Amino acid sequence: MKQTGFTLIELVIVIVILGLLAATALPRFINIATDARIASVQGVAGGLRGAISLAKAQVLVAGSGGGTITMDGVSVAVNASSFPTNAPGGIEAAMQGLDGYSVAHGSPDSTFRPTNGGNSTCQALYNSNVGTVTVTSTGC
């Protein structure tokens, strides 16, 4: 009776090939968490830019400079330059929810950082004086 199957050499070669593939693919999978945080910060920055543009457009349409506007039923404080203020009632209200992010308000900046890792340089920075958003993704 003749037996069929793989020889020991064939099995060893397959194991070596799988090991080489795993060794080359593993570093790429390790960076996925970092890439996800970078993409998340860039996504929040895009949301900030959109909220800033909508708030400024609403102020221009209303013909007022500074005060409070209503965006989808939410009151948003805007400064004299027609940008949302750097406060919870300003840019945070315009964003209407930021799960997974901590926000620190300074003058004139608000800093948005992911709460799921990364260090203090992984952030989106909103400047309420000029309405700009800057992304720093080093250390994510």
Side-chain angles (χ1 to χ4, degrees), residues 93-108:
M95 287 292 288
Q96 298 184 14
L98 277 171
D99 293 335
Y101 275 80
S102 65
V103 184
H105 300 287
S107 181

Side-chain angles (χ1 to χ4, degrees), residues 41 45 48 104 109-113 123-127 132-136:
V41 170
L48 286 166
D109 299 322
S110 293
T111 307
F112 297 80
R113 291 189 181 109
Q123 64 190 11
L125 185 73
Y126 165 63
N127 183 308
T132 59
V133 177
T134 307
V135 175
T136 307

Side-chain angles (χ1 to χ4, degrees), residues 22-55:
T24 58
L26 189 61
R28 181 66 186 140
F29 290 122
I30 289 173
N31 290 332
I32 287 178
T34 300
D35 293 345
R37 274 191 296 277
I38 291 170
S40 175
V41 170
Q42 290 172 342
V44 165
L48 286 166
R49 289 181 187 110
I52 294 163
S53 296
L54 289 172

Side-chain angles (χ1 to χ4, degrees), residues 52-71 76-84:
I52 294 163
S53 296
L54 289 172
K56 179 136 181 139
Q58 180 112 8
V59 170
L60 293 175
V61 166
S64 64
T68 304
I69 59 169
T70 303
M71 295 176 64
V76 177
V78 293
N79 60 23
S81 300
S82 304
F83 297 117

